[in-house]
Amino acid sequence: MRFALSPEQLDFGASLRKLLEAGRAPAAVRAWASGDSGPGRALIRQLADAGVLGLAVAEQHGGIGAEPIDLVVAFQELGRAAVPGPLVETAAAIPALLQALPDQDLAARWLPGFAEGAALGTVAFAPPGPGVALDADTAEVVLLAGENQLSTGNRTGLVRSVDPARRLFTVAATETVAEGDQVRAAAAAGFDTGALACAAQLLGAGKALLHASTEYSKQRKQFGKPIGEFQAVKQKLADVLIALDLAEPLLHRAALTMAGTTRSRDVSAAVIACGDAAYRAARAALQVHGAIGYTAEYDLSLWLTKVTALRSAWGTPDLHRARIARALREDTDSDRAARGIA
């Protein structure tokens, strides 16, 4: 199995990074948190023009029909820039959910607008997710995916998030648009694709935090020399780099096995590894920056709060560890049965 990205994928990631750097993402994040979605929407339309919102959308619905690994490349850059909005839902989870349904009418109805950036969508999964929808006050399409029922929904209560740029809402069903066992399988596909994109965001955010910490350690001086020259700081940042480097192959494996029988297990492994690595990066960044890292006015806070929120946005670490344990137990039982062992 090949984990290395192709030159085309590397170029795609580099082009998105340049676009997001020029788009002043931190200002858009702060505006989004204050209730002004204008700058964020403008940035999202640029991403749509670059093809990001159509990566997971089939060509017949106006998208690109790219591979999951391409989605991972894009969402790493979105996480690196801390882009606001329900992008995981619009560009990953909802397309995977709707396209997994036998009836493609819903996909034909909503996905072309998503791909071109004309509309945003959000979805609440209950279970296995927390049953809340991100930015349900901003998205044009709000869905509620239950075990056997897919419905449109209206936001009800506001749920406070540690990240001010993430407005979470409980959702009440309004109209059933699909039901039956087919919804359960489609919702599982949508949840896993969303979790994969979230893991990629976490890895990208972790890399951004490591870069910020490294640059700051070169500038900040104590005892007459940059703090980056002290062994304790070097060791802390090296540990972050190792954690991020070890998480990335798990993320790539999950992307490459999305069509396989180990999808849920591999996605959960990626979520845990990327979440833990990003959280380590956040802790190190806060320690390296010192007191200034605690201030909301300093841009570092945008990534610190986002990492904290994303670690449980698509299932808590305990939920994903339980999914891995269940998958391993089922594999063991199947292997024992195949060998005739009671």
Side-chain angles (χ1 to χ4, degrees), residues 20-88:
L20 292 168
E21 288 173 352
R24 299 180 179 178
V29 177
R30 294 187 186 281
W32 195 282
S34 68
D36 178 11
S37 62
R41 285 275 193 166
L43 187 57
I44 290 170
R45 283 192 292 271
Q46 287 183 287
L47 291 170
D49 292 340
V52 173
L53 272 64
L55 286 172
V57 177
E59 292 183 14
Q60 69 189 80
H61 300 309
I64 298 174
E67 297 296 325
I69 190 67
D70 299 306
L71 198 68
V72 161
V73 171
F75 272 90
Q76 274 199 65
E77 297 306 324
L78 299 183
R80 194 190 297 267
V83 180
L87 291 174
V88 170

Side-chain angles (χ1 to χ4, degrees), residues 149-161:
Q149 183 173 295
L150 178 65
S151 309
T152 56
N154 283 333
R155 69 181 189 273
T156 51
L158 177 66
V159 179
R160 183 177 177 84
S161 172

Side-chain angles (χ1 to χ4, degrees), residues 205-222 226-228 230 232-234 236-237 240 280-304:
K207 290 182 177 181
L209 286 164
L210 176 60
H211 176 74
S213 302
T214 302
E215 293 303 308
Y216 187 79
S217 70
K218 296 175 183 177
Q219 301 167 10
R220 176 68 186 273
K221 292 185 177 181
Q222 284 187 345
I227 61 172
F230 294 109
V233 175
K234 290 180 180 179
K236 187 170 294 293
L237 296 180
V240 172
R280 180 186 289 267
R283 288 179 59 87
L286 195 54
Q287 291 171 327
V288 168
H289 282 77
I292 194 173
Y294 285 90
T295 62
E297 295 77 13
Y298 194 61
D299 281 349
L300 186 75
S301 66
L302 304 180
W303 282 267
L304 295 177

